[in-house]
Amino acid sequence: MIEGNNFGEKLLGTIKERHILPKPKWQFLLKDYMIWAIGAVALLIGAIATCLVIYMLDADDLDIYKKIDNGLSEFILLAIPFFWLLIFAVFTGVVYYDFKKTKKGYRFTAPVVLSAVVISSILLGGAGYVFGMGKKIDDILGQKAPFYSQLINPRLNMWQKPEKGRLAGLVVSDPGIDRLIIVDRSGKEWILIISDVRTIKFPIRKGLPLRAMGDKISENEFRAYELFPVGPGNGFYQKLRPGAHGGPRGMMFKIQSRMEEKI
Amino acid sequence: MLNIENTENLSDEELAKLTLENQDYFLYIIERYKVKLFNYIRRISNLGEEDAEDILQEIFFKAYLNLNDFDQDLKFSSWVYSIARNHTISSHRKKKARAEGYSVPLDDRIVESLAIEFDVRNNVDKRLLKEDIQKVLDGLNPKYSEVLELKYLEEKNYQEISDIIKKPLGTVASMINRAKKEFVKQLSSSVENFKP
């Protein structure tokens, strides 16, 4: 029986014989710090995702999307930033799991922990949005991230449909009285006729991305009835250059010359 | 060797701290916990005495190695029970029905307190009651038997149970509640003159 034998003495003897020592405190402290650091990084990523969700939802032009053919279902698919919501969900899970690994994390129930994580992400993400972090991050990703238009901001694809009356691109000429030149995402140059646009609510200048709704007149002419600035995706369009994706080069020079002659 | 009289008045937490300076103090921690943990290991697993003793040895090694990880905000007892629980579970998976003869006999004192807790009438044969209680505990869902054993057999309070099984306090309270209901339900079908 365990009471009668010299269990304790034998055990201590083995410890001394093998020179076993307790693990040093720094190992445990390091582990604790790593857990907290991972949690902090995951929370930060979740907050960034929240910031981008707010940015993309806030930039939604409800009026524009109402005019698009397929109604509510297409609107929802385009308007909701699924990519950032997924990132938010994944990293919320990471923070929760990580928190439960802390020394006293087990004392809190799942609803309490998850609520705290979500609220913290919203507060941090909201603060980031207020300070313009949403636009900055989206611009950088637009310029540098591969698959930006496929994954992060697929709504850009609906603005590459000139035959359906929607076109977006970068203004590459000084705007004339009734027309200007834009380069679309495939690198193709377009003459954008703007004489029929009733109100232009933002200043148009060379180097500005914009979106147009109207009619395609010919292979490289588009008559716009409405113009909008580009919100999310601004950085994506900023990197466009004429002919970059095999579009016709040199049109800009010819058209600009014609415009100067008219003047 | 250390003077045993000096150590009797020391708390577990103080002994743990002293062990880090002089490993001889660890012997007194072993002596305080070896029987309790041995019985606990046997209750939550289906192990015989020899296997349980091996597990117990590994548990004390683990506790010694991780002594610098002991959080002084916790009770030492909860910490070492937590190590015992986790190590026993990972070494040998618990079975729903324990093998015959491997159960740790219930103390009369514990049977008495259970009888009072569950309002079992005084004219019930205590010997039979002991057997019935053991049978019911053995047959319960492990998550229920675990919390009942910690509460009534190991006499841990809710906070200690929370620290041992690493679940929130509220969760522990509802688990014990459900466990008691299940225990009463099963006991009432085994014991004559027991009406919940």
Side-chain angles (χ1 to χ4, degrees):
Chain A
M1 278 294 281
I2 197 79
E3 290 122 330
N5 66 21
N6 51 351
F7 174 86
E9 283 87 359
K10 273 192 213 163
L11 190 66
L12 190 60
T14 308
I15 287 172
K16 287 181 175 180
E17 214 174 295
R18 294 186 197 172
H19 306 288
I20 298 171
L21 291 173
K23 287 183 201 168
K25 187 142 182 91
W26 68 261
Q27 280 188 15
F28 301 107
L29 287 174
L30 182 65
K31 185 184 161 202
D32 290 344
Y33 293 146
M34 290 287 295
I35 291 171
W36 281 104
I38 289 167
V41 168
L43 183 65
L44 187 64
I45 296 173
I48 289 170
T50 310
C51 177
L52 270 297
V53 166
I54 299 171
Y55 174 61
M56 294 189 84
L57 288 176
D58 191 39
D60 261 344
D61 305 301
L62 284 173
D63 289 340
I64 299 174
Y65 294 114
K66 275 181 191 167
K67 292 167 190 171
I68 288 159
D69 354 299
N70 296 336
L72 185 66
S73 52
E74 191 177 357
F75 170 71
I76 288 170
L77 282 171
L78 291 170
I80 294 175
F82 290 108
F83 176 81
W84 291 115
L85 285 171
L86 181 66
I87 299 288
F88 169 73
V90 165
F91 282 90
T92 297
V94 170
V95 177
Y96 169 78
Y97 179 79
D98 185 79
F99 180 77
K100 283 293 198 176
K101 294 283 174 201
T102 58
K103 278 216 157 71
K104 289 177 183 146
Y106 65 86
R107 290 184 175 182
F108 303 91
T109 60
V112 165
V113 177
L114 286 169
S115 303
V117 174
V118 168
I119 290 169
S120 304
S121 292
I122 290 172
L123 287 175
L124 286 170
Y129 170 73
V130 162
F131 286 105
M133 293 304 296
K135 182 181 181 328
K136 277 199 182 78
I137 294 168
D138 184 70
D139 284 351
I140 292 169
L141 289 172
Q143 288 182 357
K144 300 207 187 298
F147 313 117
Y148 174 83
S149 61
Q150 290 94 327
L151 274 179
I152 298 173
N153 194 357
R155 69 178 75 174
L156 294 182
N157 298 324
M158 58 167 286
W159 291 97
Q160 188 66 13
K161 294 192 192 303
E163 61 285 346
K164 287 198 173 178
R166 299 190 293 270
L167 183 66
L170 183 72
V171 178
V172 292
S173 67
D174 291 315
I177 301 163
D178 63 348
R179 58 191 63 204
L180 47 89
I181 300 164
I182 66 169
V183 171
D184 72 14
R185 57 183 285 190
S186 67
K188 183 176 171 185
E189 291 176 13
W190 290 83
I191 299 169
L192 190 67
I193 299 164
I194 59 174
S195 51
D196 291 324
V197 179
R198 268 177 295 170
T199 341
I200 300 175
K201 293 179 188 170
F202 58 100
I204 298 179
R205 52 172 175 76
K206 188 174 176 181
L208 180 83
L210 54 73
R211 296 175 288 173
M213 287 180 81
D215 294 316
K216 181 180 172 184
I217 300 171
S218 70
E219 265 318 296
N220 52 25
E221 279 183 304
F222 190 92
R223 183 186 298 281
Y225 298 121
E226 288 177 277
L227 289 176
F228 312 95
V230 170
N234 199 297
F236 176 82
Y237 285 105
Q238 291 283 359
K239 68 184 181 192
L240 296 178
R241 294 286 177 272
H245 298 277
R249 300 177 69 95
M251 193 194 314
M252 195 171 85
F253 177 73
K254 285 188 199 161
I255 291 167
Q256 246 180 331
S257 309
R258 235 185 286 153
M259 280 164 64
E260 278 158 7
E261 278 169 30
K262 274 194 178 172
I263 290 162
Chain B
M1 204 56 175
L2 298 163
N3 187 344
I4 198 162
E5 284 170 11
N6 291 343
T7 61
E8 266 175 13
N9 295 327
L10 293 172
S11 67
D12 295 340
E13 292 74 24
E14 284 165 338
L15 274 178
K17 220 171 175 179
L18 287 166
T19 301
L20 291 169
E21 294 160 23
N22 182 345
Q23 55 190 188
D24 286 336
Y25 281 101
F26 194 57
L27 180 63
Y28 300 103
I29 292 176
I30 297 170
E31 292 304 319
R32 281 188 190 182
Y33 280 95
K34 68 177 184 184
V35 174
K36 283 191 250 190
L37 289 180
F38 180 74
N39 290 335
Y40 177 61
I41 290 163
R42 292 194 65 206
R43 281 195 191 103
I44 65 171
S45 66
N46 63 340
L47 296 173
E49 285 190 16
E50 270 186 41
D51 290 333
E53 201 172 310
D54 290 340
I55 298 280
L56 182 67
Q57 193 173 55
E58 289 162 16
I59 287 164
F60 277 119
F61 269 126
K62 219 170 190 173
Y64 180 75
L65 280 170
N66 291 294
L67 219 43
N68 273 311
D69 195 31
F70 167 57
D71 184 352
Q72 293 278 344
D73 290 343
L74 287 184
K75 287 182 77 170
F76 182 83
S77 151
S78 305
W79 183 73
V80 81
Y81 263 83
S82 177
I83 293 174
R85 177 185 180 265
N86 292 338
H87 191 76
T88 307
I89 290 170
S90 65
S91 299
H92 296 271
R93 298 214 56 90
K94 284 187 291 183
K95 285 177 187 168
K96 252 188 180 177
R98 295 199 191 105
E100 288 278 326
Y102 279 174
S103 298
V104 179
L106 290 174
D107 199 85
D108 283 344
R109 184 179 52 84
I110 290 168
V111 174
E112 196 61 45
S113 75
L114 279 170
I116 293 167
E117 172 74 29
F118 294 105
D119 196 25
V120 181
R121 295 188 186 178
N122 284 332
N123 56 358
V124 173
D125 183 334
K126 286 294 187 298
R127 187 183 56 84
L128 292 173
L129 180 63
K130 207 191 244 190
E131 285 171 14
D132 285 321
I133 287 174
Q134 190 66 69
K135 217 188 295 180
V136 168
L137 277 176
D138 289 349
L140 276 180
N141 185 314
K143 67 178 179 182
Y144 291 149
S145 60
E146 177 178 39
V147 291
L148 287 182
E149 281 164 357
L150 282 169
K151 176 129 176 55
Y152 296 106
L153 275 53
E154 304 297 332
E155 298 176 304
K156 300 293 175 198
N157 63 35
Y158 281 39
Q159 184 60 60
E160 287 167 320
I161 297 172
S162 166
D163 293 334
I164 291 166
I165 67 172
K166 303 285 185 217
K167 292 223 184 312
L169 207 54
T171 306
V172 167
S174 37
M175 279 171 80
I176 289 174
N177 237 5
R178 286 198 294 268
K180 276 155 95 168
K181 283 183 183 150
E182 190 59 31
F183 181 86
V184 163
K185 185 175 152 195
Q186 298 211 14
L187 193 65
S188 63
S189 59
S190 334
V191 177
E192 248 182 74
N193 297 323
F194 172 68
K195 287 187 175 53

